[in-house]
Amino acid sequence: MTTPDPGVFISNAQMYQEVRDLAQTVGRIESKVDNFLDEAKDIRGDLQDHDLRIRTLERARWPMPTIGVLAGVAGAATGAIALFAR
């Protein structure tokens, strides 16, 4: 008969050290996630600022096409008056 395989023995000290290493790794991951969340808040703030600035520029630009259309209509009306006035 063959003897059964005794398996792998892990001491309490080895198990404790592995749990400690795992806790340190989780702590490092948590700090990295916190840093990422802080950066994401900064990015969201910048995005809102850019959105506000773009909307302000869009509002300031709307009269230009309107002025162009009015100038075109006035020019066409002036041309039509000059044509029919003869």
Side-chain angles (χ1 to χ4, degrees):
M1 285 204 354
T2 61
T3 59
D5 185 19
V8 178
F9 176 75
I10 299 174
S11 70
N12 287 337
Q14 289 173 326
M15 184 63 74
Y16 177 75
Q17 186 60 41
E18 288 297 320
V19 169
R20 295 283 300 164
D21 291 343
L22 183 61
Q24 289 175 349
T25 303
V26 169
R28 285 194 308 268
I29 291 171
E30 284 178 344
S31 67
K32 288 180 182 180
V33 168
D34 288 341
N35 289 338
F36 175 75
L37 292 175
D38 290 340
E39 290 176 13
K41 287 178 186 176
D42 293 341
I43 290 171
R44 274 188 252 131
D46 290 345
L47 182 63
Q48 290 173 350
D49 180 51
H50 287 283
D51 187 43
L52 178 65
R53 290 170 48 196
I54 288 171
R55 297 215 186 277
T56 302
L57 288 172
E58 287 173 345
R59 269 188 248 119
R61 199 179 137 216
W62 77 266
M64 290 181 194
T66 305
I67 292 170
V69 168
L70 291 175
V73 169
T78 305
I81 290 171
L83 181 65
F84 293 123
R86 291 184 190 185

